PDB file of all heavy atoms in Angstrom:
ATOM      1  N   ALA A  55     -24.388  26.017  12.890  1.00  0.00           N
ATOM      2  CA  ALA A  55     -23.713  27.254  13.049  1.00  0.00           C
ATOM      3  C   ALA A  55     -24.212  28.070  14.170  1.00  0.00           C
ATOM      4  O   ALA A  55     -23.503  28.690  14.972  1.00  0.00           O
ATOM      5  CB  ALA A  55     -23.809  28.132  11.750  1.00  0.00           C
ATOM      6  N   LYS A  56     -25.589  28.039  14.283  1.00  0.00           N
ATOM      7  CA  LYS A  56     -26.308  28.747  15.382  1.00  0.00           C
ATOM      8  C   LYS A  56     -25.865  28.122  16.843  1.00  0.00           C
ATOM      9  O   LYS A  56     -25.564  28.821  17.685  1.00  0.00           O
ATOM     10  CB  LYS A  56     -27.868  28.690  15.283  1.00  0.00           C
ATOM     11  CG  LYS A  56     -28.247  29.498  14.089  1.00  0.00           C
ATOM     12  CD  LYS A  56     -29.713  29.176  13.814  1.00  0.00           C
ATOM     13  CE  LYS A  56     -30.226  29.923  12.611  1.00  0.00           C
ATOM     14  NZ  LYS A  56     -30.648  31.286  12.902  1.00  0.00           N
ATOM     15  N   GLU A  57     -25.869  26.830  16.832  1.00  0.00           N
ATOM     16  CA  GLU A  57     -25.511  26.068  18.090  1.00  0.00           C
ATOM     17  C   GLU A  57     -24.027  26.393  18.443  1.00  0.00           C
ATOM     18  O   GLU A  57     -23.698  26.742  19.590  1.00  0.00           O
ATOM     19  CB  GLU A  57     -25.611  24.561  17.893  1.00  0.00           C
ATOM     20  CG  GLU A  57     -27.014  24.074  17.837  1.00  0.00           C
ATOM     21  CD  GLU A  57     -27.548  23.765  19.277  1.00  0.00           C
ATOM     22  OE1 GLU A  57     -26.914  24.116  20.257  1.00  0.00           O
ATOM     23  OE2 GLU A  57     -28.630  23.263  19.338  1.00  0.00           O
ATOM     24  N   ALA A  58     -23.094  26.381  17.417  1.00  0.00           N
ATOM     25  CA  ALA A  58     -21.683  26.723  17.621  1.00  0.00           C
ATOM     26  C   ALA A  58     -21.541  28.158  18.134  1.00  0.00           C
ATOM     27  O   ALA A  58     -20.690  28.458  19.025  1.00  0.00           O
ATOM     28  CB  ALA A  58     -20.928  26.461  16.363  1.00  0.00           C
ATOM     29  N   CYS A  59     -22.248  29.048  17.519  1.00  0.00           N
ATOM     30  CA  CYS A  59     -22.155  30.442  17.908  1.00  0.00           C
ATOM     31  C   CYS A  59     -22.645  30.678  19.339  1.00  0.00           C
ATOM     32  O   CYS A  59     -22.061  31.499  20.084  1.00  0.00           O
ATOM     33  CB  CYS A  59     -22.832  31.371  16.909  1.00  0.00           C
ATOM     34  SG  CYS A  59     -22.437  33.124  17.125  1.00  0.00           S
ATOM     35  N   ALA A  60     -23.758  30.086  19.668  1.00  0.00           N
ATOM     36  CA  ALA A  60     -24.277  30.246  21.007  1.00  0.00           C
ATOM     37  C   ALA A  60     -23.326  29.712  22.083  1.00  0.00           C
ATOM     38  O   ALA A  60     -23.163  30.276  23.200  1.00  0.00           O
ATOM     39  CB  ALA A  60     -25.604  29.492  21.135  1.00  0.00           C
ATOM     40  N   LYS A  61     -22.631  28.647  21.722  1.00  0.00           N
ATOM     41  CA  LYS A  61     -21.578  28.084  22.564  1.00  0.00           C
ATOM     42  C   LYS A  61     -20.386  29.077  22.725  1.00  0.00           C
ATOM     43  O   LYS A  61     -19.836  29.377  23.756  1.00  0.00           O
ATOM     44  CB  LYS A  61     -21.044  26.782  22.049  1.00  0.00           C
ATOM     45  CG  LYS A  61     -22.067  25.645  22.178  1.00  0.00           C
ATOM     46  CD  LYS A  61     -21.619  24.394  21.484  1.00  0.00           C
ATOM     47  CE  LYS A  61     -22.685  23.305  21.469  1.00  0.00           C
ATOM     48  NZ  LYS A  61     -22.223  22.137  20.669  1.00  0.00           N
ATOM     49  N   ALA A  62     -20.013  29.674  21.538  1.00  0.00           N
ATOM     50  CA  ALA A  62     -18.899  30.675  21.536  1.00  0.00           C
ATOM     51  C   ALA A  62     -19.302  31.906  22.328  1.00  0.00           C
ATOM     52  O   ALA A  62     -18.365  32.475  22.954  1.00  0.00           O
ATOM     53  CB  ALA A  62     -18.552  31.076  20.103  1.00  0.00           C
ATOM     54  N   LEU A  63     -20.482  32.279  22.335  1.00  0.00           N
ATOM     55  CA  LEU A  63     -20.929  33.445  23.179  1.00  0.00           C
ATOM     56  C   LEU A  63     -20.945  33.047  24.635  1.00  0.00           C
ATOM     57  O   LEU A  63     -20.974  33.979  25.469  1.00  0.00           O
ATOM     58  CB  LEU A  63     -22.313  33.839  22.769  1.00  0.00           C
ATOM     59  CG  LEU A  63     -22.468  34.517  21.338  1.00  0.00           C
ATOM     60  CD1 LEU A  63     -23.918  34.707  21.057  1.00  0.00           C
ATOM     61  CD2 LEU A  63     -21.683  35.902  21.416  1.00  0.00           C
ATOM     62  N   GLY A  64     -20.904  31.821  25.021  1.00  0.00           N
ATOM     63  CA  GLY A  64     -20.826  31.379  26.367  1.00  0.00           C
ATOM     64  C   GLY A  64     -22.169  31.323  27.049  1.00  0.00           C
ATOM     65  O   GLY A  64     -22.304  31.151  28.279  1.00  0.00           O
ATOM     66  N   THR A  65     -23.327  31.357  26.301  1.00  0.00           N
ATOM     67  CA  THR A  65     -24.572  31.398  26.878  1.00  0.00           C
ATOM     68  C   THR A  65     -25.479  30.146  26.518  1.00  0.00           C
ATOM     69  O   THR A  65     -26.358  29.821  27.203  1.00  0.00           O
ATOM     70  CB  THR A  65     -25.420  32.644  26.428  1.00  0.00           C
ATOM     71  OG1 THR A  65     -25.492  32.589  25.012  1.00  0.00           O
ATOM     72  CG2 THR A  65     -24.733  33.894  26.971  1.00  0.00           C
ATOM     73  N   GLY A  66     -25.255  29.581  25.284  1.00  0.00           N
ATOM     74  CA  GLY A  66     -26.187  28.719  24.790  1.00  0.00           C
ATOM     75  C   GLY A  66     -27.449  29.502  24.421  1.00  0.00           C
ATOM     76  O   GLY A  66     -27.354  30.754  24.267  1.00  0.00           O
ATOM     77  N   PHE A  67     -28.507  28.819  24.385  1.00  0.00           N
ATOM     78  CA  PHE A  67     -29.887  29.502  24.013  1.00  0.00           C
ATOM     79  C   PHE A  67     -30.512  29.844  25.299  1.00  0.00           C
ATOM     80  O   PHE A  67     -31.553  29.274  25.617  1.00  0.00           O
ATOM     81  CB  PHE A  67     -30.641  28.764  23.065  1.00  0.00           C
ATOM     82  CG  PHE A  67     -30.081  28.700  21.666  1.00  0.00           C
ATOM     83  CD1 PHE A  67     -29.312  27.631  21.177  1.00  0.00           C
ATOM     84  CD2 PHE A  67     -30.133  29.792  20.825  1.00  0.00           C
ATOM     85  CE1 PHE A  67     -28.735  27.629  19.964  1.00  0.00           C
ATOM     86  CE2 PHE A  67     -29.558  29.838  19.591  1.00  0.00           C
ATOM     87  CZ  PHE A  67     -28.850  28.795  19.161  1.00  0.00           C
ATOM     88  N   ARG A  68     -29.977  30.758  26.070  1.00  0.00           N
ATOM     89  CA  ARG A  68     -30.501  31.331  27.241  1.00  0.00           C
ATOM     90  C   ARG A  68     -29.944  32.664  27.462  1.00  0.00           C
ATOM     91  O   ARG A  68     -29.248  33.181  26.643  1.00  0.00           O
ATOM     92  CB  ARG A  68     -30.314  30.396  28.468  1.00  0.00           C
ATOM     93  CG  ARG A  68     -28.897  30.134  28.781  1.00  0.00           C
ATOM     94  CD  ARG A  68     -28.685  29.130  29.901  1.00  0.00           C
ATOM     95  NE  ARG A  68     -27.367  28.661  30.036  1.00  0.00           N
ATOM     96  CZ  ARG A  68     -26.317  29.456  30.501  1.00  0.00           C
ATOM     97  NH1 ARG A  68     -26.577  30.627  30.929  1.00  0.00           N
ATOM     98  NH2 ARG A  68     -25.167  28.984  30.679  1.00  0.00           N
ATOM     99  N   ALA A  69     -30.334  33.367  28.496  1.00  0.00           N
ATOM    100  CA  ALA A  69     -29.811  34.675  28.827  1.00  0.00           C
ATOM    101  C   ALA A  69     -30.123  35.666  27.702  1.00  0.00           C
ATOM    102  O   ALA A  69     -29.371  36.517  27.335  1.00  0.00           O
ATOM    103  CB  ALA A  69     -28.310  34.616  29.130  1.00  0.00           C
TER     104      ALA A  69
END
Side-chain angles (χ1 to χ4, degrees):
K56 291 167 183 280
E57 287 275 8
C59 190
K61 292 171 186 176
L63 288 170
T65 59
F67 289 101
R68 56 185 172 73

